[in-house]
Amino acid sequence: MKENNKTAVRQILTKYLDDNKLRKTPERFAVLDAVYSFNGHFSIQELSEKIEEDFFPVSRATLYNALNLFVSLHLVVCHRLSMGTMYQASYESANHCYQVCTACGKVAEIKAPKVEQALDETRLKRFRRDSYSLYVYGVCSTCVAKITRKKNKKRLNS
Amino acid sequence: MKENNKTAVRQILTKYLDDNKLRKTPERFAVLDAVYSFNGHFSIQELSEKIEEDFFPVSRATLYNALNLFVSLHLVVCHRLSMGTMYQASYESANHCYQVCTACGKVAEIKAPKVEQALDETRLKRFRRDSYSLYVYGVCSTCVAKITRKKNKKRLNS
DNA sequence: GTCAGTGCAAACTTTTTGCAACTAC
DNA sequence: GTAGTTGCAAAAAGTTTGCACTGAC
C-alpha cells in the first residue's frame, strides 16, 4: 500500500514535470521518496536528516523548493502550527481533518465524514473554494495521562 | 456593539489579572484596545503601527507578550497562514470557521452552522478536545475579477 | 520595597534570495 | 548548447531572550 503510493506519486510528479517541460532531477524524486517514507507528519529538520541517511544529501534550498512544488501538486500538506511548520504526505488522504495535540505536537488525520458532508453542502458567497483544512486542537490520551501523573506527584509532594 | 466588546474584554482581562495576581499595566490594556479597534485580521506590524498612532508606543516584546496572553484567554485568535501570522479579535465570535483568499490574503469569518453541528456530533477517540479552526482556502470574488482582467489583457497583447 | 512587566538590542530560528556551477534535455 | 536546478552562503523575516530598569501593588 505504502510502496504503491510511492509509485503513484512518482508518476504524478513525472507527468507534471513532463507536461510543464520541467526537469526530472534526482533531487526531486529523492525528496518525494523521503516524504513518503514517513508515517505521519515531519519537520524540515527531520526530513533533512532522513534524506541524508537513507537517500542522498540535498541542500536546504532544494528541500524547500521541492516541498513547495509538492504542496502545489497536493502531494504534501503543510501544517503551520504554533510549535513550528510540519509537513505530511497527502496522497490518498481524502479529507483534510486533523487533530493536533497541543501538549506533544502530534498531528493525526481524523475521519469526520459528517463534517466533510456539511462542508460540501455549505455554499460560500463571492468565493471560489479550492480546499480546506480543519484542525481540532486538544490533548491526546497519552499526554492527558502524563499531565495527570505529574499533578498527582505534585499533590503528594506538597 | 464594538465599544461594548471593548468594555467586555477589558473586564475579562481585569478579572483574569486580579485572579492570578498579575499586574494591570497600561500596556496590556492599550494592546487589547488596539486589537479590538480592528475590523478583522491584522499582522503584528499593523498592530504595532496602530498602537503607535492611536494609543501609545509599546515594544515588540510587550506586543508579543500581550498577544500570547490574549490568545490563551481566547480573546484573540492567531492564524498561521502561508503569507504570515495574522491575529484577530475573537470575543463573541461563536464559531471558528474562516475563509482565506490565497491571492490577497484576506481572512473572513464565515457562518457554517451545519459544519459546527457536525463537529459537535463527531466524537474523537482518545483525545480531549479543546477547540478547532476550519480554514477554507480559495479566491475571493475581487481577486477572481482581477485575475480574469489580467488574463484578458495578456491574451489581447499576444 | 518587591518583583512582575517592560524596553532594548542581541540572538536565534526559519525561510528566501542571489549567484556561480551544474546537468537534464 | 541552453536554460532549469542546485548548492552555498548571505540576507531577510519573524520571534524569543537576557538584562537592566521601571512602576503596579
Side-chain angles (χ1 to χ4, degrees), chain A residues 123-146:
Chain A
R123 293 276 157 266
L124 298 175
K125 290 186 195 73
R126 306 174 164 277
F127 196 75
R128 197 186 68 196
R129 190 167 86 185
D130 291 334
S131 62
Y132 70 91
S133 9
L134 170 69
Y135 291 97
V136 179
Y137 300 100
V139 184
C140 70
S141 57
T142 315
C143 288
V144 167
K146 274 184 196 161

Side-chain angles (χ1 to χ4, degrees), chain A residues 106-120:
Chain A
K106 191 175 172 189
V107 181
E109 256 184 66
I110 53 178
K111 289 207 175 79
K114 280 181 194 165
V115 176
E116 289 160 55
Q117 201 198 325
L119 251 165
D120 285 337

Side-chain angles (χ1 to χ4, degrees), chain B residues 66-90:
Chain B
L67 283 175
N68 288 339
L69 175 63
F70 301 163
V71 167
S72 74
L73 294 178
H74 301 286
L75 298 177
V76 170
V77 286
C78 169
H79 308 295
R80 290 170 183 275
L81 309 172
S82 58
M83 49 289 243
T85 304
M86 304 302 266
Y87 294 86
Q88 188 164 9
S90 66

Side-chain angles (χ1 to χ4, degrees), chain A residues 33-79:
Chain A
D33 280 351
V35 164
Y36 273 80
S37 69
F38 275 94
N39 267 316
H41 61 103
F42 51 86
S43 65
I44 276 274
Q45 188 53 39
E46 289 166 332
L47 178 62
S48 179
E49 282 161 17
K50 165 87 85 176
I51 202 169
E52 204 92 357
E53 273 176 45
D54 302 356
F55 302 89
F56 73 81
V58 154
S59 78
R60 206 37 70 110
T62 301
L63 223 47
Y64 278 109
N65 273 343
L67 283 174
N68 287 341
L69 176 62
F70 301 162
V71 167
S72 75
L73 294 178
H74 300 287
L75 298 177
V76 170
V77 287
C78 170
H79 308 296

